[in-house]
Amino acid sequence: MKETTNKQLFERDLESYLPTFKRFPLAIEKGEGATVWDVEGNKYLDMLAGIAVNNLGHCHPAISKAISEQSKKLMHISNFFVSRPQVELSEKLIELSGLSRVFLTNSGAESVEGAIKIARKYAHSKGRTGEIVFMDNAFHGRTLATIAAGKKNYQRGFGPIPTAFTPIDFNNLEEAEKAISTKTAAVIVEPIQGEGGVNPATTEFLKGLREICDKTGTLLIFDEIQCGIGRTCKMFAKDHFGVQPDILTLAKGLGSGMPVGAVLCNDKVSGAIEPGDHGTTFGGNPLACAAAIATLQTINDHQFIKDIEKKAAWFNGKLEDLKNRFKSIVEVRGKGFMLGVVVEGESKPLVMELLDHHIIANATAGNVIRLVPPLTISQDELSHFLKVFEEILKKHEK
């Protein structure tokens, strides 16, 4: 019997999938642009974009075309060989980032794991320890090393946790100066914390970290898995701050839905790496690379960036207007189309009400509504969200 309802597929999932997710009771069937449809034909406005993955929306023609054409030629060969898409993607990432070397992965957590390994290899080549300094409220993934560089609640039940990970307060330069020394291997920071509540770093903090790292010979890692690839209306969030890291991690939006990530580094770091130090089976396969190339070509267009800057500024202004009118909204923060609406009390009930109105958003950090829609979303679609959100806020304040 073919399942035709959300409930049927939801219940089958409960019986077969490891219970790691608290899913919405929806089975999504298809998507186009900023719209998705469930298996019952209901239509939803997607303000989450697969958690900042579908930056070009669902089934963007350029991405679908690139995947289709590449799938007819070559999908996987292993990294014993080179392929044209992998070489071209690496060259494009170097050109856009100003860094020197690329290692391609399958996911964000894998990118961060790779960055930590590379940083420690460099540190050991200089006679240092492998200590990694990270930020309170950070999120870098769900693997053992990435949860070691994250919140304690993600570590519960998974000990022993890898050691030599030291937390400091985000945006606190005084703490950073005390924690970072000539023994430290690297400092890892999200220019805008995502899962932690959409918290932007200050320019002063990131520039200060760069200066401390330069002074102590410590590597600076930027995790741009969520805030990179046009999400903040620049190709990389680092470009807002004028700070260049030694290592940069990417994933999410890089493949517009195809699983692909990257670790980028400068020549100083790459000089410590030798054949066999790291590897991957699927990372950098031709199919994923073709999707990533098409993504970068589409976003790296002057008019495209100009258009999303205009839309994002308008939308941010409208959210600020709502904040000024409704006491339920405490703060609106973020950059571009990576926004967090901080509310009084828990944000999840508001997110569930949005879902009742067929709008998909996300509750994070307890009291934050995370809004990371496709960059291609129209102003009319944004207006629809604002209208529904305003109605919900009015209802709550009564």
Side-chain angles (χ1 to χ4, degrees):
M1 177 184 172
K2 185 179 179 182
E3 285 75 13
T4 55
T5 69
N6 290 312
K7 186 173 184 290
Q8 287 171 324
L9 283 170
F10 184 71
E11 287 176 351
R12 276 190 71 186
D13 174 75
L14 290 175
E15 292 297 319
S16 59
Y17 201 87
L18 197 67
T20 54
F21 303 113
K22 287 185 179 178
R23 301 190 198 266
F24 291 127
L26 292 181
I28 304 300
E29 180 84 350
K30 64 177 182 176
E32 182 179 344
T35 302
V36 294
W37 288 263
D38 66 22
V39 292
E40 297 171 17
N42 299 306
K43 181 179 175 182
Y44 299 82
L45 176 62
D46 187 1
M47 296 293 291
L48 186 58
I51 319 179
V53 168
N54 301 309
N55 288 6
L56 293 175
H58 296 273
C59 301
H60 189 282
I63 309 306
S64 296
K65 182 183 177 186
I67 292 170
S68 176
E69 290 180 354
Q70 185 60 46
S71 71
K72 295 169 187 172
K73 292 191 286 187
L74 188 67
M75 290 194 282
H76 181 77
I77 51 171
S78 90
N79 281 297
F80 285 128
F81 310 97
V82 296
S83 72
R84 186 185 302 274
Q86 188 181 105
V87 172
E88 290 179 354
L89 175 58
S90 298
E91 289 173 343
K92 192 66 178 174
L93 286 169
I94 288 167
E95 174 196 334
L96 293 171
S97 69
L99 291 163
S100 309
R101 295 283 180 163
V102 175
F103 180 87
L104 295 168
T105 71
N106 306 284
S107 69
E110 190 185 336
S111 294
V112 175
E113 286 268 358
I116 291 168
K117 273 187 73 177
I118 291 166
R120 283 184 165 174
K121 182 70 193 297
Y122 173 82
H124 290 317
S125 76
K126 301 297 179 183
R128 290 171 172 251
T129 70
E131 184 195 24
I132 306 293
V133 171
F134 69 96
M135 307 299 135
D136 278 339
N137 223 29
F139 182 83
H140 299 293
R142 302 274 189 166
T143 59
L144 281 172
T146 55
I147 63 173
K151 296 179 186 177
K152 291 287 184 188
N153 61 302
Y154 290 124
Q155 300 174 10
R156 238 174 262 128
F158 298 109
I161 300 298
T163 57
F165 288 87
T166 303
I168 62 170
D169 284 343
F170 187 56
N171 278 333
N172 187 329
L173 263 184
E174 191 177 333
E175 265 210 35
E177 284 185 297
K178 289 176 183 175
I180 302 165
S181 72
T182 53
K183 294 181 180 178
T184 310
V187 179
I188 185 166
V189 59
E190 301 158 272
I192 304 175
Q193 291 185 330
E195 193 73 16
V198 192
N199 304 303
T202 64
T203 300
E204 179 191 17
F205 182 62
L206 293 184
K207 285 191 172 180
L209 282 182
R210 181 70 275 175
E211 288 173 12
I212 295 166
C213 288
D214 288 342
K215 185 171 67 177
T216 59
T218 302
L219 298 181
L220 180 59
I221 304 170
F222 278 2
D223 178 346
E224 291 217 21
I225 285 155
Q226 190 164 151
C227 61
I229 316 298
R231 176 53 53 192
T232 65
C233 300
K234 290 187 183 291
M235 184 59 75
F236 306 108
K238 70 183 180 69
D239 299 333
H240 289 281
F241 305 97
V243 179
Q244 182 74 315
D246 299 294
I247 301 174
L248 180 70
T249 63
L250 301 170
K252 285 192 180 286
L254 182 57
S256 294
M258 282 294 289
V260 58
V263 187
L264 284 67
C265 67
N266 57 27
D267 281 328
K268 175 178 76 174
V269 176
S270 69
I273 304 302
E274 300 172 351
D277 280 346
H278 199 46
T280 174
T281 296
F282 293 109
N285 72 75
L287 192 63
C289 289
I293 292 166
T295 299
L296 294 175
Q297 287 173 340
T298 304
I299 292 175
N300 189 40
D301 175 84
H302 177 72
Q303 192 58 49
F304 182 88
I305 294 292
K306 194 174 174 183
D307 289 346
I308 63 171
E309 280 177 338
K310 185 178 176 182
K311 271 188 302 188
W314 174 85
F315 184 54
N316 209 327
K318 293 294 183 183
L319 288 173
E320 287 288 348
D321 289 345
L322 289 178
K323 179 183 80 84
N324 294 333
R325 291 170 49 209
F326 294 97
K327 63 181 182 182
S328 302
I329 299 179
V330 177
E331 185 184 4
V332 177
R333 61 196 185 204
K335 288 184 183 294
F337 276 121
M338 184 174 177
L339 298 170
V341 179
V342 185
V343 297
E344 286 187 338
E346 289 287 316
S347 55
K348 190 170 182 181
L350 292 169
V351 167
M352 295 312 294
E353 284 200 52
L354 284 167
L355 190 62
D356 289 341
H357 288 80
H358 288 209
I359 294 175
I360 297 171
N362 170 245
T364 191
N367 66 336
V368 180
I369 300 172
R370 177 167 41 179
L371 301 173
V372 283
L375 307 179
T376 52
I377 193 170
S378 71
Q379 193 160 315
D380 285 346
E381 288 167 323
L382 292 170
S383 294
H384 173 65
F385 166 81
L386 291 164
K387 181 182 176 184
V388 172
F389 191 38
E390 182 176 354
E391 289 170 2
I392 292 170
L393 291 170
K394 281 179 182 174
K395 176 185 165 187
H396 272 258
E397 297 210 352
K398 281 180 181 178

